[in-house]
Amino acid sequence: MLSENIYILGIESSCDDTAASVIHNGKILSNVVANQSIHEAYGGVVPELASRAHQQNIVPVVHQALAKANITKDQLHAIAFTRGPGLMGSLLVGTSFAKSLALGLNIPLIDVNHMQAHILAHFIDEEGFKKPPFPFLAMTISGGHTQIVKVNSYFNMEVIGETIDDAVGEAYDKSGKILGLGYPAGPEIDKRAQLGNPKAFSFTKPKVDGLNFSFSGLKTAILYFIQKETKANPNFISERLNDICASIQYTIIGILIDKLKKASKQTGIKHIAIGGGVSANSGIRKALKDGEHKFGWTTYVPKFEFTTDNAAMIAIVGYLKYLEQDFSDSNISASARLKL
Ligand code: KG4
Ligand code: ZN
């Protein structure tokens, strides 16, 4: 018989955020994230530096998560951790830590797929946020992923479309690099896009079959466009930055919405959820809202702190798996290319 009061610690370390969270039944009690600013200087995540920073951050982050939840480690029922996908060195830190802690406390260990967690973050109990009914479509958009997933139940998901090269967040960040913006560039492009003309310049959308995405061609098109224009006018970027950002954003949102429309038509599913850092984007949020009127969609966007990389999403999957008594073997290992 399961007790009514289940406390689970979630640990996330797949990329450049070290995070820990405590969940009590379906409600998050703490959600601590230590970001690694060291990567800004390099214009992208440096794997070796990420693992070192995780190593330094993990103990204080876990302590803080327990303290904020106002519980001690002895009250925990299980430890959930990100097994993959992600950077191997980063995953190893979280995996080893979770294993040792579970072993030391003599409680179950629960491995979590990071992509599944982005989707199941929609099931965290949070006032003002509704949970999608099954089946629904989930689009995960971030610096590391771009997928459309048909979610049949908590643990039955099918990837029906994904990027064949760059992730959408990478398209933002690489475009930003070409324009001389800081890293990550997504938020600034979004801000400027709202001040510019989305139709000022046009970029060809990639032709990719089915529900898959491709963003590497767009990045090259932007590079050539900027090279050509700055040759004619060295001040082109500074004079037209808002229009350039608006046009890039218009193209990217168009690509995402086209595929979502196609996926919805193909599956007959009108409940659409998004997750990942790019779901903060004003353009995608507006386009989804428009989809409610235009296509009869019901759309779901989780609370922002549960949508970028975080451990609350790992903790909710831990809780759902705990209810099923679905535990991991202690010789489980991290898996950089773990599939859904
Ligand atoms: O989920 P996340 O925090 O980390 C992972 O990549 O897994 O996502 C970060 C990505 C970056 O590429 C960043 O540029 C992008 O999300 N991003 C945005 C916005 N806010 C963050 N992209 C477009 N518009 C935004 N408002
Ligand atoms: Zn992620």
Side-chain angles (χ1 to χ4, degrees):
M1 191 63 183
L2 288 174
S3 91
E4 291 284 297
N5 276 310
I6 296 156
Y7 291 94
I8 290 175
L9 173 72
I11 294 173
E12 154 66 30
S13 73
S14 65
C15 189
D16 60 339
D17 296 307
T18 319
S21 166
V22 174
I23 192 166
H24 173 227
N25 298 335
K27 209 164 171 49
I28 297 299
L29 299 183
S30 62
N31 184 28
V32 179
V33 183
N35 306 111
Q36 302 179 359
S37 53
I38 188 157
H39 307 287
E40 281 163 21
Y42 298 89
V45 177
V46 184
E48 174 65 21
L49 297 180
S51 343
R52 291 182 196 199
H54 282 307
Q55 196 74 265
Q56 286 178 337
N57 293 341
I58 195 142
V59 171
V61 163
V62 167
H63 268 149
Q64 218 179 320
L66 289 169
K68 279 198 174 162
N70 204 17
I71 64 161
T72 67
K73 58 186 187 313
D74 303 311
Q75 287 173 268
L76 292 170
H77 291 75
I79 310 290
F81 71 99
T82 305
R83 183 183 176 210
L87 301 170
M88 189 41 114
S90 292
L91 290 166
L92 281 174
V93 177
T95 304
S96 314
F97 184 88
K99 274 192 192 187
S100 323
L101 189 57
L103 205 66
L105 295 171
N106 197 22
I107 54 175
L109 180 68
I110 300 173
D111 64 289
V112 174
N113 180 309
H114 179 92
M115 297 311 297
Q116 194 174 47
H118 268 301
I119 294 168
L120 295 180
H122 287 275
F123 294 93
I124 291 171
D125 285 339
E126 187 67 35
E127 218 173 299
F129 290 81
K130 54 189 192 302
K131 298 173 185 172
F134 299 114
F136 66 93
L137 294 179
M139 183 168 74
T140 39
I141 41 177
S142 76
H145 0 273
T146 307
Q147 286 189 330
I148 300 181
V149 180
K150 180 168 175 260
V151 188
N152 300 311
S153 68
Y154 291 138
F155 300 112
N156 180 341
M157 302 184 182
E158 297 162 59
V159 179
I160 57 173
E162 63 189 327
T163 183
I164 56 170
D165 43 54
D166 291 349
V168 60
E170 268 181 289
Y172 269 100
D173 297 337
K174 288 178 178 175
S175 303
K177 203 168 182 177
I178 296 169
L179 298 173
L181 305 177
Y183 171 85
E188 182 163 2
I189 294 182
D190 185 16
K191 216 163 75 196
R192 291 184 172 275
Q194 294 169 64
L195 307 170
N197 172 8
K199 301 210 172 139
F201 310 108
S202 71
F203 301 105
T204 325
K205 285 189 201 164
K207 289 191 178 50
V208 191
D209 287 343
L211 299 174
N212 283 342
F213 300 90
S214 166
F215 289 102
S216 69
L218 177 64
K219 168 196 68 196
T220 314
I222 293 167
L223 177 67
Y224 289 159
F225 166 76
I226 294 295
Q227 282 175 343
K228 187 173 129 256
E229 294 294 338
T230 46
K231 216 169 172 180
N233 171 12
N235 299 326
F236 176 70
I237 295 181
S238 57
E239 285 171 11
R240 305 296 302 274
L241 192 52
N242 292 348
D243 288 342
I244 302 168
C245 290
S247 304
I248 293 173
Q249 176 135 315
Y250 180 76
T251 311
I252 292 177
I253 303 302
I255 296 169
L256 296 176
I257 293 294
D258 279 355
K259 294 289 175 166
L260 262 186
K261 266 163 62 184
K262 203 167 175 180
S264 171
K265 212 166 179 183
Q266 204 167 297
T267 57
I269 298 172
K270 288 177 183 275
H271 289 277
I272 316 264
I274 59 166
V278 182
S279 59
N281 185 270
S282 65
I284 190 76
R285 284 175 178 242
K286 185 177 176 303
L288 282 179
K289 271 277 159 260
D290 290 348
E292 300 203 336
H293 311 296
K294 281 198 212 157
F295 318 119
W297 291 352
T298 308
T299 62
Y300 306 82
V301 185
K303 195 175 178 190
F304 187 63
E305 65 173 292
F306 302 146
T307 194
T308 56
D309 282 354
N310 68 87
M313 67 182 194
I314 306 303
I316 182 72
V317 182
Y319 174 64
L320 294 169
K321 280 190 153 186
Y322 187 90
L323 295 179
E324 310 247 310
Q325 301 279 287
D326 183 0
F327 304 137
S328 326
D329 206 278
S330 62
N331 48 32
I332 187 134
S333 53
S335 172
R337 298 191 170 273
L338 191 64
K339 296 271 176 231
L340 250 187

